[in-house]
Amino acid sequence: MPLDSRTTSPARPMRADARRNYDRILAAAAEAIAEHGAEASLEEIARRAGVGSATLHRHFPSRQRLLEAVFRDKVEALCAAAADLAVDPDPWHALVTWLGAVARHAVSNRGLAASLMRGAHDGDPALGDTCHTMIINAGADLLARACRANAARPDVSITDLLKLVNAICLAVEQEPDGAAQADRLLTLALAGVHPAGESAGRKM
Amino acid sequence: MPLDSRTTSPARPMRADARRNYDRILAAAAEAIAEHGAEASLEEIARRAGVGSATLHRHFPSRQRLLEAVFRDKVEALCAAAADLAVDPDPWHALVTWLGAVARHAVSNRGLAASLMRGAHDGDPALGDTCHTMIINAGADLLARACRANAARPDVSITDLLKLVNAICLAVEQEPDGAAQADRLLTLALAGVHPAGESAGRKM
DNA sequence: TGCAAAACGGGGTGGCCCTCCATATCGTAC
DNA sequence: GTACGATATGGAGGGCCACCCCGTTTTGCA
């Protein structure tokens, strides 16, 4: 798993000490975020990692960057899950299952939802494959398949769906039974509020 | 409009200077929140109001309290709108219209959504009629009417709906075209993602 | 082994939230 | 009008934070 482009690209490899500190910070950040959420103190992360705060800021110029690095492997797992589901015989079921998985990850990794959402607009434009675009690409296939099977409305975009999922997770993030609530709300949103779902539901 | 219980209840009226500062802080907070969202600096609000930070903290022991005071009249407007819609001949339309209004308010008053959501659990329990419960009560009637008319699924609660609305607003809050996106997502969630909305949409 | 480039981190700056307490102001009783 | 207790004030200060500067150390290559 590439931790940083410079660790893999031959352009200019990281120095050994830099690499070591990078990894330490990442590990400390994962711990801290699990405990205190995405708002964890950067200074405490540096302290835990045994590096100066300047070193943390040099490796990760913004909190967003750090979150992306920490969550990258989790995001990759989601992308893999999407690939697996791409062969599910029921495209709608595949889509719904995957969105549920996204929601579960987002709820259990506090701050993932917010982090991914922010990535959409105020992240550095230079950063090509952020977690955000990775997830979008993974989901787009599932949605396209569902559309082709006429199982999803054609005017729905994957961005819409992911925003909905992230919105829900963001909202229930700090409730005790977040996972259950997220599941409930997501099901509700996907099914619609109308009892039989006839077209009246769309006239709004 | 009651600004503080002590301004109306005969128990112990506020002193004139206290009242003046209370109003100034409220006005400054409204300005600051409109500019910087609900995370606006409390110190800056105090500065704008021309009072010391201690005075702000005395009048509003928590940020939540301040937000509630600022948003109270807006919330009251929403409650009034709900009352008006309660006589709409089409209960589903009334419900949807009202939720749309809630969303519009939440988007245009950055932080309202988050503020109301937080009010649900970590607000002081002593605070009886928070904005949160005011809105819940207002919406419950509309939903009940829609249910009675078989226009909304009976297993949906007003809490679910409001959470959904707030989630959406929270998520699109800092996008440039927030209002449009919120509308889009809300419509989507209410209608469901399925094209015709047949029961498959609910099996998830 | 020598040395330039790369990386480091202590400490400073400025911001934030919140609290204490000496001081100023208000409302009332006379 | 004045005196006085209750009430309200706000500046100073503590603790925490993000972020940056720059003298020092480490690294890796020649």
PDB file of all heavy atoms in Angstrom, chain B residues 6 12 15 21 52 54-55 58-59, chain D residues 5-13:
ATOM      1  N   ARG B   6     -36.291  35.650  31.666  1.00  0.00           N
ATOM      2  CA  ARG B   6     -36.291  36.659  32.726  1.00  0.00           C
ATOM      3  C   ARG B   6     -36.766  38.021  32.243  1.00  0.00           C
ATOM      4  O   ARG B   6     -37.021  38.913  33.052  1.00  0.00           O
ATOM      5  CB  ARG B   6     -34.907  36.769  33.358  1.00  0.00           C
ATOM      6  CG  ARG B   6     -34.600  35.565  34.230  1.00  0.00           C
ATOM      7  CD  ARG B   6     -33.162  35.532  34.618  1.00  0.00           C
ATOM      8  NE  ARG B   6     -32.790  36.737  35.341  1.00  0.00           N
ATOM      9  CZ  ARG B   6     -31.557  37.158  35.462  1.00  0.00           C
ATOM     10  NH1 ARG B   6     -30.596  36.501  34.903  1.00  0.00           N
ATOM     11  NH2 ARG B   6     -31.301  38.251  36.134  1.00  0.00           N
ATOM     12  N   ARG B  12     -38.031  37.722  38.319  1.00  0.00           N
ATOM     13  CA  ARG B  12     -36.954  38.650  38.642  1.00  0.00           C
ATOM     14  C   ARG B  12     -36.460  39.253  37.338  1.00  0.00           C
ATOM     15  O   ARG B  12     -35.647  38.644  36.649  1.00  0.00           O
ATOM     16  CB  ARG B  12     -35.822  37.915  39.346  1.00  0.00           C
ATOM     17  CG  ARG B  12     -34.760  38.821  39.911  1.00  0.00           C
ATOM     18  CD  ARG B  12     -33.682  37.982  40.556  1.00  0.00           C
ATOM     19  NE  ARG B  12     -34.161  37.330  41.765  1.00  0.00           N
ATOM     20  CZ  ARG B  12     -34.020  37.865  42.985  1.00  0.00           C
ATOM     21  NH1 ARG B  12     -33.416  39.021  43.126  1.00  0.00           N
ATOM     22  NH2 ARG B  12     -34.451  37.222  44.042  1.00  0.00           N
ATOM     23  N   ARG B  15     -31.818  43.404  34.941  1.00  0.00           N
ATOM     24  CA  ARG B  15     -31.461  44.796  35.112  1.00  0.00           C
ATOM     25  C   ARG B  15     -31.316  45.422  33.740  1.00  0.00           C
ATOM     26  O   ARG B  15     -31.034  44.727  32.763  1.00  0.00           O
ATOM     27  CB  ARG B  15     -30.139  44.873  35.876  1.00  0.00           C
ATOM     28  CG  ARG B  15     -30.241  45.639  37.165  1.00  0.00           C
ATOM     29  CD  ARG B  15     -29.019  45.502  37.985  1.00  0.00           C
ATOM     30  NE  ARG B  15     -27.824  46.031  37.326  1.00  0.00           N
ATOM     31  CZ  ARG B  15     -26.649  46.118  37.947  1.00  0.00           C
ATOM     32  NH1 ARG B  15     -26.529  45.716  39.204  1.00  0.00           N
ATOM     33  NH2 ARG B  15     -25.610  46.595  37.326  1.00  0.00           N
ATOM     34  N   ASN B  21     -27.053  44.634  27.174  1.00  0.00           N
ATOM     35  CA  ASN B  21     -25.940  43.817  26.699  1.00  0.00           C
ATOM     36  C   ASN B  21     -26.422  42.521  26.071  1.00  0.00           C
ATOM     37  O   ASN B  21     -25.890  42.073  25.057  1.00  0.00           O
ATOM     38  CB  ASN B  21     -24.992  43.513  27.849  1.00  0.00           C
ATOM     39  CG  ASN B  21     -24.125  44.711  28.186  1.00  0.00           C
ATOM     40  OD1 ASN B  21     -23.875  45.545  27.327  1.00  0.00           O
ATOM     41  ND2 ASN B  21     -23.685  44.800  29.422  1.00  0.00           N
ATOM     42  N   GLY B  52     -17.322  42.537  27.337  1.00  0.00           N
ATOM     43  CA  GLY B  52     -16.234  41.630  27.664  1.00  0.00           C
ATOM     44  C   GLY B  52     -16.654  40.203  27.423  1.00  0.00           C
ATOM     45  O   GLY B  52     -17.852  39.875  27.408  1.00  0.00           O
ATOM     46  N   ALA B  54     -16.409  37.752  29.295  1.00  0.00           N
ATOM     47  CA  ALA B  54     -17.058  37.176  30.474  1.00  0.00           C
ATOM     48  C   ALA B  54     -18.558  37.444  30.447  1.00  0.00           C
ATOM     49  O   ALA B  54     -19.362  36.598  30.838  1.00  0.00           O
ATOM     50  CB  ALA B  54     -16.443  37.756  31.741  1.00  0.00           C
ATOM     51  N   THR B  55     -18.930  38.607  29.986  1.00  0.00           N
ATOM     52  CA  THR B  55     -20.352  38.955  29.924  1.00  0.00           C
ATOM     53  C   THR B  55     -21.082  38.024  28.968  1.00  0.00           C
ATOM     54  O   THR B  55     -22.182  37.535  29.257  1.00  0.00           O
ATOM     55  CB  THR B  55     -20.511  40.413  29.474  1.00  0.00           C
ATOM     56  OG1 THR B  55     -19.891  41.241  30.441  1.00  0.00           O
ATOM     57  CG2 THR B  55     -21.972  40.775  29.350  1.00  0.00           C
ATOM     58  N   ARG B  58     -21.535  34.760  30.626  1.00  0.00           N
ATOM     59  CA  ARG B  58     -22.519  34.763  31.710  1.00  0.00           C
ATOM     60  C   ARG B  58     -23.924  34.654  31.141  1.00  0.00           C
ATOM     61  O   ARG B  58     -24.755  33.913  31.642  1.00  0.00           O
ATOM     62  CB  ARG B  58     -22.370  36.018  32.562  1.00  0.00           C
ATOM     63  CG  ARG B  58     -22.997  35.868  33.940  1.00  0.00           C
ATOM     64  CD  ARG B  58     -22.690  37.051  34.823  1.00  0.00           C
ATOM     65  NE  ARG B  58     -21.308  37.456  34.720  1.00  0.00           N
ATOM     66  CZ  ARG B  58     -20.889  38.527  34.070  1.00  0.00           C
ATOM     67  NH1 ARG B  58     -21.767  39.324  33.494  1.00  0.00           N
ATOM     68  NH2 ARG B  58     -19.615  38.819  34.018  1.00  0.00           N
ATOM     69  N   HIS B  59     -24.166  35.390  30.059  1.00  0.00           N
ATOM     70  CA  HIS B  59     -25.507  35.354  29.476  1.00  0.00           C
ATOM     71  C   HIS B  59     -25.781  34.040  28.751  1.00  0.00           C
ATOM     72  O   HIS B  59     -26.899  33.542  28.763  1.00  0.00           O
ATOM     73  CB  HIS B  59     -25.685  36.521  28.509  1.00  0.00           C
ATOM     74  CG  HIS B  59     -25.965  37.824  29.189  1.00  0.00           C
ATOM     75  ND1 HIS B  59     -27.117  38.035  29.908  1.00  0.00           N
ATOM     76  CD2 HIS B  59     -25.249  38.967  29.268  1.00  0.00           C
ATOM     77  CE1 HIS B  59     -27.095  39.273  30.395  1.00  0.00           C
ATOM     78  NE2 HIS B  59     -25.965  39.858  30.031  1.00  0.00           N
TER      79      HIS B  59
ATOM     80  P    DG D   5     -25.123  47.741  52.844  1.00  0.00           P
ATOM     81  OP1  DG D   5     -25.440  47.767  54.283  1.00  0.00           O
ATOM     82  OP2  DG D   5     -23.727  47.867  52.366  1.00  0.00           O
ATOM     83  O5'  DG D   5     -25.762  46.420  52.235  1.00  0.00           O
ATOM     84  C5'  DG D   5     -27.189  46.238  52.300  1.00  0.00           C
ATOM     85  C4'  DG D   5     -27.685  45.588  51.024  1.00  0.00           C
ATOM     86  O4'  DG D   5     -27.591  46.526  49.920  1.00  0.00           O
ATOM     87  C3'  DG D   5     -26.903  44.341  50.590  1.00  0.00           C
ATOM     88  O3'  DG D   5     -27.832  43.376  50.129  1.00  0.00           O
ATOM     89  C2'  DG D   5     -25.995  44.857  49.483  1.00  0.00           C
ATOM     90  C1'  DG D   5     -26.862  45.948  48.841  1.00  0.00           C
ATOM     91  N9   DG D   5     -26.115  47.012  48.190  1.00  0.00           N
ATOM     92  C8   DG D   5     -24.961  47.614  48.639  1.00  0.00           C
ATOM     93  N7   DG D   5     -24.530  48.557  47.831  1.00  0.00           N
ATOM     94  C5   DG D   5     -25.451  48.586  46.803  1.00  0.00           C
ATOM     95  C6   DG D   5     -25.504  49.401  45.640  1.00  0.00           C
ATOM     96  O6   DG D   5     -24.734  50.300  45.299  1.00  0.00           O
ATOM     97  N1   DG D   5     -26.617  49.094  44.851  1.00  0.00           N
ATOM     98  C2   DG D   5     -27.542  48.134  45.147  1.00  0.00           C
ATOM     99  N2   DG D   5     -28.541  47.981  44.269  1.00  0.00           N
ATOM    100  N3   DG D   5     -27.506  47.353  46.225  1.00  0.00           N
ATOM    101  C4   DG D   5     -26.438  47.642  47.000  1.00  0.00           C
ATOM    102  P    DA D   6     -27.415  41.916  49.809  1.00  0.00           P
ATOM    103  OP1  DA D   6     -28.238  40.993  50.613  1.00  0.00           O
ATOM    104  OP2  DA D   6     -25.941  41.843  49.827  1.00  0.00           O
ATOM    105  O5'  DA D   6     -27.898  41.814  48.293  1.00  0.00           O
ATOM    106  C5'  DA D   6     -29.153  42.377  47.937  1.00  0.00           C
ATOM    107  C4'  DA D   6     -29.240  42.523  46.431  1.00  0.00           C
ATOM    108  O4'  DA D   6     -28.451  43.660  45.992  1.00  0.00           O
ATOM    109  C3'  DA D   6     -28.735  41.314  45.646  1.00  0.00           C
ATOM    110  O3'  DA D   6     -29.635  41.088  44.579  1.00  0.00           O
ATOM    111  C2'  DA D   6     -27.344  41.769  45.170  1.00  0.00           C
ATOM    112  C1'  DA D   6     -27.566  43.256  44.950  1.00  0.00           C
ATOM    113  N9   DA D   6     -26.360  44.076  45.079  1.00  0.00           N
ATOM    114  C8   DA D   6     -25.431  44.024  46.083  1.00  0.00           C
ATOM    115  N7   DA D   6     -24.461  44.892  45.949  1.00  0.00           N
ATOM    116  C5   DA D   6     -24.768  45.570  44.781  1.00  0.00           C
ATOM    117  C6   DA D   6     -24.134  46.617  44.092  1.00  0.00           C
ATOM    118  N6   DA D   6     -22.997  47.180  44.509  1.00  0.00           N
ATOM    119  N1   DA D   6     -24.685  47.053  42.950  1.00  0.00           N
ATOM    120  C2   DA D   6     -25.828  46.485  42.539  1.00  0.00           C
ATOM    121  N3   DA D   6     -26.533  45.498  43.108  1.00  0.00           N
ATOM    122  C4   DA D   6     -25.940  45.075  44.238  1.00  0.00           C
ATOM    123  P    DT D   7     -29.506  39.854  43.653  1.00  0.00           P
ATOM    124  OP1  DT D   7     -30.884  39.428  43.312  1.00  0.00           O
ATOM    125  OP2  DT D   7     -28.520  38.932  44.244  1.00  0.00           O
ATOM    126  O5'  DT D   7     -28.853  40.485  42.350  1.00  0.00           O
ATOM    127  C5'  DT D   7     -29.452  41.618  41.742  1.00  0.00           C
ATOM    128  C4'  DT D   7     -28.540  42.173  40.679  1.00  0.00           C
ATOM    129  O4'  DT D   7     -27.408  42.835  41.284  1.00  0.00           O
ATOM    130  C3'  DT D   7     -27.951  41.122  39.738  1.00  0.00           C
ATOM    131  O3'  DT D   7     -28.443  41.428  38.449  1.00  0.00           O
ATOM    132  C2'  DT D   7     -26.431  41.334  39.846  1.00  0.00           C
ATOM    133  C1'  DT D   7     -26.325  42.732  40.405  1.00  0.00           C
ATOM    134  N1   DT D   7     -25.097  43.044  41.201  1.00  0.00           N
ATOM    135  C2   DT D   7     -24.276  44.075  40.794  1.00  0.00           C
ATOM    136  O2   DT D   7     -24.503  44.754  39.802  1.00  0.00           O
ATOM    137  N3   DT D   7     -23.195  44.295  41.598  1.00  0.00           N
ATOM    138  C4   DT D   7     -22.842  43.601  42.736  1.00  0.00           C
ATOM    139  O4   DT D   7     -21.849  43.899  43.379  1.00  0.00           O
ATOM    140  C5   DT D   7     -23.737  42.536  43.106  1.00  0.00           C
ATOM    141  C7   DT D   7     -23.459  41.723  44.323  1.00  0.00           C
ATOM    142  C6   DT D   7     -24.814  42.301  42.322  1.00  0.00           C
ATOM    143  P    DA D   8     -28.110  40.542  37.190  1.00  0.00           P
ATOM    144  OP1  DA D   8     -29.247  40.635  36.263  1.00  0.00           O
ATOM    145  OP2  DA D   8     -27.629  39.233  37.683  1.00  0.00           O
ATOM    146  O5'  DA D   8     -26.883  41.308  36.546  1.00  0.00           O
ATOM    147  C5'  DA D   8     -27.054  42.654  36.130  1.00  0.00           C
ATOM    148  C4'  DA D   8     -25.743  43.218  35.657  1.00  0.00           C
ATOM    149  O4'  DA D   8     -24.858  43.357  36.781  1.00  0.00           O
ATOM    150  C3'  DA D   8     -25.004  42.353  34.633  1.00  0.00           C
ATOM    151  O3'  DA D   8     -24.772  43.144  33.487  1.00  0.00           O
ATOM    152  C2'  DA D   8     -23.722  41.928  35.349  1.00  0.00           C
ATOM    153  C1'  DA D   8     -23.542  43.026  36.379  1.00  0.00           C
ATOM    154  N9   DA D   8     -22.825  42.617  37.584  1.00  0.00           N
ATOM    155  C8   DA D   8     -23.151  41.605  38.444  1.00  0.00           C
ATOM    156  N7   DA D   8     -22.330  41.473  39.459  1.00  0.00           N
ATOM    157  C5   DA D   8     -21.396  42.469  39.257  1.00  0.00           C
ATOM    158  C6   DA D   8     -20.257  42.863  39.980  1.00  0.00           C
ATOM    159  N6   DA D   8     -19.869  42.276  41.117  1.00  0.00           N
ATOM    160  N1   DA D   8     -19.527  43.894  39.511  1.00  0.00           N
ATOM    161  C2   DA D   8     -19.930  44.488  38.387  1.00  0.00           C
ATOM    162  N3   DA D   8     -20.979  44.211  37.614  1.00  0.00           N
ATOM    163  C4   DA D   8     -21.681  43.187  38.116  1.00  0.00           C
ATOM    164  P    DT D   9     -23.926  42.621  32.298  1.00  0.00           P
ATOM    165  OP1  DT D   9     -24.443  43.275  31.086  1.00  0.00           O
ATOM    166  OP2  DT D   9     -23.842  41.166  32.371  1.00  0.00           O
ATOM    167  O5'  DT D   9     -22.496  43.222  32.613  1.00  0.00           O
ATOM    168  C5'  DT D   9     -22.352  44.637  32.694  1.00  0.00           C
ATOM    169  C4'  DT D   9     -20.908  44.966  33.009  1.00  0.00           C
ATOM    170  O4'  DT D   9     -20.566  44.392  34.274  1.00  0.00           O
ATOM    171  C3'  DT D   9     -19.920  44.391  31.996  1.00  0.00           C
ATOM    172  O3'  DT D   9     -19.289  45.466  31.318  1.00  0.00           O
ATOM    173  C2'  DT D   9     -18.949  43.561  32.824  1.00  0.00           C
ATOM    174  C1'  DT D   9     -19.199  44.049  34.245  1.00  0.00           C
ATOM    175  N1   DT D   9     -19.007  43.003  35.295  1.00  0.00           N
ATOM    176  C2   DT D   9     -17.964  43.122  36.168  1.00  0.00           C
ATOM    177  O2   DT D   9     -17.160  44.037  36.131  1.00  0.00           O
ATOM    178  N3   DT D   9     -17.878  42.100  37.104  1.00  0.00           N
ATOM    179  C4   DT D   9     -18.723  41.024  37.234  1.00  0.00           C
ATOM    180  O4   DT D   9     -18.554  40.190  38.101  1.00  0.00           O
ATOM    181  C5   DT D   9     -19.799  40.972  36.274  1.00  0.00           C
ATOM    182  C7   DT D   9     -20.774  39.845  36.319  1.00  0.00           C
ATOM    183  C6   DT D   9     -19.892  41.943  35.358  1.00  0.00           C
ATOM    184  P    DG D  10     -18.770  45.224  29.879  1.00  0.00           P
ATOM    185  OP1  DG D  10     -18.908  46.491  29.136  1.00  0.00           O
ATOM    186  OP2  DG D  10     -19.345  43.976  29.345  1.00  0.00           O
ATOM    187  O5'  DG D  10     -17.220  44.975  30.148  1.00  0.00           O
ATOM    188  C5'  DG D  10     -16.465  45.974  30.791  1.00  0.00           C
ATOM    189  C4'  DG D  10     -15.087  45.419  31.120  1.00  0.00           C
ATOM    190  O4'  DG D  10     -15.206  44.482  32.217  1.00  0.00           O
ATOM    191  C3'  DG D  10     -14.441  44.623  29.969  1.00  0.00           C
ATOM    192  O3'  DG D  10     -13.047  44.790  30.045  1.00  0.00           O
ATOM    193  C2'  DG D  10     -14.795  43.188  30.321  1.00  0.00           C
ATOM    194  C1'  DG D  10     -14.646  43.247  31.823  1.00  0.00           C
ATOM    195  N9   DG D  10     -15.339  42.179  32.524  1.00  0.00           N
ATOM    196  C8   DG D  10     -16.443  41.483  32.110  1.00  0.00           C
ATOM    197  N7   DG D  10     -16.835  40.576  32.951  1.00  0.00           N
ATOM    198  C5   DG D  10     -15.946  40.684  34.009  1.00  0.00           C
ATOM    199  C6   DG D  10     -15.871  39.963  35.229  1.00  0.00           C
ATOM    200  O6   DG D  10     -16.600  39.064  35.630  1.00  0.00           O
ATOM    201  N1   DG D  10     -14.809  40.399  36.022  1.00  0.00           N
ATOM    202  C2   DG D  10     -13.935  41.398  35.691  1.00  0.00           C
ATOM    203  N2   DG D  10     -12.977  41.663  36.572  1.00  0.00           N
ATOM    204  N3   DG D  10     -13.998  42.081  34.552  1.00  0.00           N
ATOM    205  C4   DG D  10     -15.019  41.671  33.765  1.00  0.00           C
ATOM    206  P    DG D  11     -12.248  45.467  28.940  1.00  0.00           P
ATOM    207  OP1  DG D  11     -12.727  46.850  28.765  1.00  0.00           O
ATOM    208  OP2  DG D  11     -12.261  44.526  27.808  1.00  0.00           O
ATOM    209  O5'  DG D  11     -10.775  45.482  29.564  1.00  0.00           O
ATOM    210  C5'  DG D  11     -10.562  46.039  30.854  1.00  0.00           C
ATOM    211  C4'  DG D  11      -9.582  45.201  31.655  1.00  0.00           C
ATOM    212  O4'  DG D  11     -10.273  44.090  32.279  1.00  0.00           O
ATOM    213  C3'  DG D  11      -8.442  44.588  30.837  1.00  0.00           C
ATOM    214  O3'  DG D  11      -7.273  44.600  31.661  1.00  0.00           O
ATOM    215  C2'  DG D  11      -8.941  43.161  30.576  1.00  0.00           C
ATOM    216  C1'  DG D  11      -9.661  42.867  31.896  1.00  0.00           C
ATOM    217  N9   DG D  11     -10.737  41.879  31.800  1.00  0.00           N
ATOM    218  C8   DG D  11     -11.638  41.740  30.783  1.00  0.00           C
ATOM    219  N7   DG D  11     -12.499  40.773  30.984  1.00  0.00           N
ATOM    220  C5   DG D  11     -12.145  40.253  32.210  1.00  0.00           C
ATOM    221  C6   DG D  11     -12.709  39.184  32.946  1.00  0.00           C
ATOM    222  O6   DG D  11     -13.670  38.475  32.663  1.00  0.00           O
ATOM    223  N1   DG D  11     -12.041  38.971  34.152  1.00  0.00           N
ATOM    224  C2   DG D  11     -10.957  39.695  34.589  1.00  0.00           C
ATOM    225  N2   DG D  11     -10.442  39.346  35.757  1.00  0.00           N
ATOM    226  N3   DG D  11     -10.419  40.698  33.902  1.00  0.00           N
ATOM    227  C4   DG D  11     -11.058  40.919  32.725  1.00  0.00           C
ATOM    228  P    DA D  12      -5.854  44.354  31.095  1.00  0.00           P
ATOM    229  OP1  DA D  12      -5.111  45.625  31.288  1.00  0.00           O
ATOM    230  OP2  DA D  12      -5.959  43.751  29.743  1.00  0.00           O
ATOM    231  O5'  DA D  12      -5.276  43.250  32.083  1.00  0.00           O
ATOM    232  C5'  DA D  12      -5.756  43.179  33.432  1.00  0.00           C
ATOM    233  C4'  DA D  12      -5.502  41.788  33.985  1.00  0.00           C
ATOM    234  O4'  DA D  12      -6.670  40.953  33.755  1.00  0.00           O
ATOM    235  C3'  DA D  12      -4.318  41.048  33.358  1.00  0.00           C
ATOM    236  O3'  DA D  12      -3.661  40.307  34.367  1.00  0.00           O
ATOM    237  C2'  DA D  12      -4.985  40.154  32.324  1.00  0.00           C
ATOM    238  C1'  DA D  12      -6.260  39.775  33.069  1.00  0.00           C
ATOM    239  N9   DA D  12      -7.367  39.367  32.210  1.00  0.00           N
ATOM    240  C8   DA D  12      -7.718  39.870  30.983  1.00  0.00           C
ATOM    241  N7   DA D  12      -8.772  39.297  30.447  1.00  0.00           N
ATOM    242  C5   DA D  12      -9.143  38.358  31.386  1.00  0.00           C
ATOM    243  C6   DA D  12     -10.194  37.416  31.424  1.00  0.00           C
ATOM    244  N6   DA D  12     -11.090  37.280  30.457  1.00  0.00           N
ATOM    245  N1   DA D  12     -10.277  36.624  32.513  1.00  0.00           N
ATOM    246  C2   DA D  12      -9.376  36.761  33.489  1.00  0.00           C
ATOM    247  N3   DA D  12      -8.351  37.609  33.570  1.00  0.00           N
ATOM    248  C4   DA D  12      -8.291  38.383  32.475  1.00  0.00           C
ATOM    249  P    DG D  13      -2.301  39.609  34.107  1.00  0.00           P
ATOM    250  OP1  DG D  13      -1.421  40.112  35.179  1.00  0.00           O
ATOM    251  OP2  DG D  13      -1.943  39.786  32.678  1.00  0.00           O
ATOM    252  O5'  DG D  13      -2.531  38.052  34.346  1.00  0.00           O
ATOM    253  C5'  DG D  13      -3.523  37.614  35.274  1.00  0.00           C
ATOM    254  C4'  DG D  13      -3.844  36.159  35.014  1.00  0.00           C
ATOM    255  O4'  DG D  13      -5.022  36.065  34.159  1.00  0.00           O
ATOM    256  C3'  DG D  13      -2.755  35.389  34.275  1.00  0.00           C
ATOM    257  O3'  DG D  13      -2.731  34.058  34.774  1.00  0.00           O
ATOM    258  C2'  DG D  13      -3.230  35.428  32.836  1.00  0.00           C
ATOM    259  C1'  DG D  13      -4.721  35.224  33.069  1.00  0.00           C
ATOM    260  N9   DG D  13      -5.562  35.563  31.943  1.00  0.00           N
ATOM    261  C8   DG D  13      -5.353  36.546  30.999  1.00  0.00           C
ATOM    262  N7   DG D  13      -6.291  36.593  30.090  1.00  0.00           N
ATOM    263  C5   DG D  13      -7.165  35.583  30.455  1.00  0.00           C
ATOM    264  C6   DG D  13      -8.380  35.151  29.848  1.00  0.00           C
ATOM    265  O6   DG D  13      -8.927  35.597  28.841  1.00  0.00           O
ATOM    266  N1   DG D  13      -8.947  34.088  30.536  1.00  0.00           N
ATOM    267  C2   DG D  13      -8.426  33.507  31.668  1.00  0.00           C
ATOM    268  N2   DG D  13      -9.107  32.500  32.193  1.00  0.00           N
ATOM    269  N3   DG D  13      -7.293  33.907  32.249  1.00  0.00           N
ATOM    270  C4   DG D  13      -6.726  34.938  31.591  1.00  0.00           C
TER     271       DG D  13
END
